Amino acid sequence: KLVIIRDQSVLAAAQGKEGKIEHKTERLLAYLQQPCESSVVVFQVMAEKLDERRKVVKLLKEQNALIPFQELQESELQQWTIKRAEEQGRILKKEAAELLLARTGTNMQQLAHEVDKLCLHAGPGGTIDVSEVETLIASTVEEDVFALIDAMATLKVDRALKLYGELLLRKEEPIKIAALIARQLRIMLQIKELAQHQYSPQQMAGQLGLHPYAVKLAAEKARIFSVKSLGGHLDRLAELDYKMKTGKIEKTLGLELFLLSLTA
C-alpha cells in the first residue's frame, strides 16, 4: 500500500496559522520505529527546509529516509533541455536553450512541453536553433518591449511603431508598457554601472536578479545609449507616467510620442 501525506506541518517550520497547531507525534514516532512491512509512507513536504528541532525529522534523518528534491538552477535546466532534445534524436543549440528558458521560465513541465514541440518541428536528426525558438515559442511582453526600445534606438521607426501596435492589439495597457520600458532602461543603466566595476555577465545577473540571457541582450543594447541619455529618458518617462495617470495626456498617444522622441 502506498500512502502519500501532503500535510507538511509535522515536518516543516510552522507558517501562519500552523504555528497554533500542537502536534502530538508519539504514535507517529512509534510507527516510524516499526513501520508496517506491507506499506510505503511518503511525506511530501513543499518547503525550503525541514524543522530539524523536531523529533520526527531527527528520526527520519537517522533512518536515512529524507530525499531532497531541490529545484534545478538555470544552468542545470539549460543542460536538461539539451539532453531532453538529444534523447529524441535532435540537437538543441545552447543559444536556443537560453532563449527558450528566457521565454518559458523555469517550470519543468512547461519546458518539457516546449522542447517536445520544438523536436516535433525539427524532425528526426534535426537541429533546433534560435530562429526556431523565435518562431515557435511565444515571446514575453518584456522581450517585445526590449525589441521596441532597440528599434527606436537604431532609428527603425516603422518597426518600432509596428511592435507598439502589436502590443496594443494584445490589450497591453500603455501605462504597463511605459513601466516595462522604464524597467528595461533602468536595467541598461545598472549594467553600464556594473560594467565599470568589471562585473561579469553572470555576476550582473546575480546582482540584478535577472536571467543571464536577459543581461546578455541588455548589455549589447546598452552600448547604443550613454548614461546621460538613459537618465534623461527615465526622467521623461516618469513625467509621462504622471501625465497619463492624471489624465493630462491621452495614454496611447502620449507613449507613441515618447517612442518617436527616442529617435532624436
Side-chain angles (χ1 to χ4, degrees), residues 154-178:
T154 52
L155 305 182
K156 297 175 182 175
V157 181
D158 290 344
R159 171 166 167 71
L161 294 179
K162 181 184 176 185
L163 285 167
Y164 179 48
E166 288 174 356
L167 285 168
L168 293 176
L169 282 174
R170 284 162 57 176
K171 305 297 182 185
E172 296 296 343
E173 172 63 40
I175 291 176
K176 177 187 174 183
I177 297 172

Side-chain angles (χ1 to χ4, degrees), residues 20-261:
K20 299 178 182 178
I21 298 174
E22 184 181 346
H23 296 290
K24 297 188 177 182
T25 57
E26 291 81 8
R27 292 180 66 183
L28 176 59
L29 286 165
Y31 176 83
L32 292 175
Q33 288 168 343
Q34 194 173 1
C36 176
E37 292 182 0
S38 62
S39 298
V40 176
V41 181
V42 178
F43 289 87
Q44 183 180 337
V45 183
M46 304 295 287
E48 289 186 11
K49 60 180 181 179
L50 302 179
D51 188 347
E52 298 198 10
R53 298 169 298 178
R54 300 186 180 185
K55 290 180 181 179
V56 176
V57 175
K58 289 177 181 177
L59 179 57
L60 289 170
K61 200 170 182 180
E62 288 171 8
Q63 295 178 338
N64 199 27
L66 300 179
I67 306 173
F69 289 90
Q70 302 295 336
E71 289 187 2
L72 295 182
Q73 300 298 312
E74 287 181 354
S75 59
E76 295 171 320
L77 280 171
Q78 185 179 310
Q79 291 302 316
W80 180 79
T81 57
I82 292 171
K83 184 179 178 182
R84 187 177 181 89
E86 284 177 356
E87 290 171 350
Q88 298 182 52
R90 278 72 163 175
I91 298 171
L92 176 62
K93 293 290 187 68
K94 182 181 177 182
E95 296 78 10
E98 286 180 349
L99 179 57
L100 175 63
L101 274 167
R103 288 192 171 185
T104 306
T106 56
N107 183 293
M108 290 185 74
Q109 187 174 6
Q110 184 64 23
L111 272 173
H113 174 74
E114 298 298 355
V115 170
D116 294 348
K117 181 170 71 176
L118 289 164
C119 288
L120 185 64
H121 175 76
T127 299
I128 302 164
D129 217 326
V130 170
S131 58
E132 280 75 31
V133 177
E134 288 177 340
T135 303
L136 294 172
I137 310 301
S139 60
T140 62
V141 177
E142 289 83 356
E143 192 177 348
D144 288 341
V145 166
F146 197 82
L148 179 62
I149 296 169
D150 181 46
M152 298 310 303
T154 52
L155 305 182
K156 297 175 182 175
V157 181
D158 290 344
R159 171 166 167 71
L161 294 179
K162 181 184 176 185
L163 285 167
Y164 179 48
E166 288 174 356
L167 285 168
L168 293 176
L169 282 174
R170 284 162 57 176
K171 305 297 182 185
E172 296 296 343
E173 172 63 40
I175 291 176
K176 177 187 174 183
I177 297 172
L180 289 171
I181 292 173
R183 177 177 179 271
Q184 294 291 3
L185 293 175
R186 197 177 301 112
I187 287 169
M188 287 193 277
L189 191 59
Q190 291 169 327
I191 284 173
K192 290 182 84 71
E193 175 66 26
L194 292 173
Q196 292 177 5
H197 296 282
Q198 308 301 316
Y199 275 64
S200 69
Q202 204 71 26
Q203 289 173 320
M204 290 180 188
Q207 190 77 10
L208 301 175
L210 296 171
H211 191 283
Y213 186 79
V215 170
K216 178 183 172 184
L217 285 180
E220 291 172 359
K221 306 308 178 188
R223 298 191 187 103
I224 301 170
F225 298 93
S226 67
V227 171
K228 184 178 179 180
S229 65
L230 286 170
H233 294 325
L234 283 169
D235 284 343
R236 289 190 298 107
L237 264 176
E239 182 66 23
L240 174 62
D241 183 70
Y242 171 75
K243 288 181 178 178
M244 288 195 295
K245 288 177 178 176
T246 55
K248 293 185 177 181
I249 191 170
E250 199 279 320
K251 293 181 291 186
T252 305
L253 176 62
L255 186 53
E256 185 173 334
L257 291 172
F258 170 79
L259 293 171
L260 290 170
S261 74

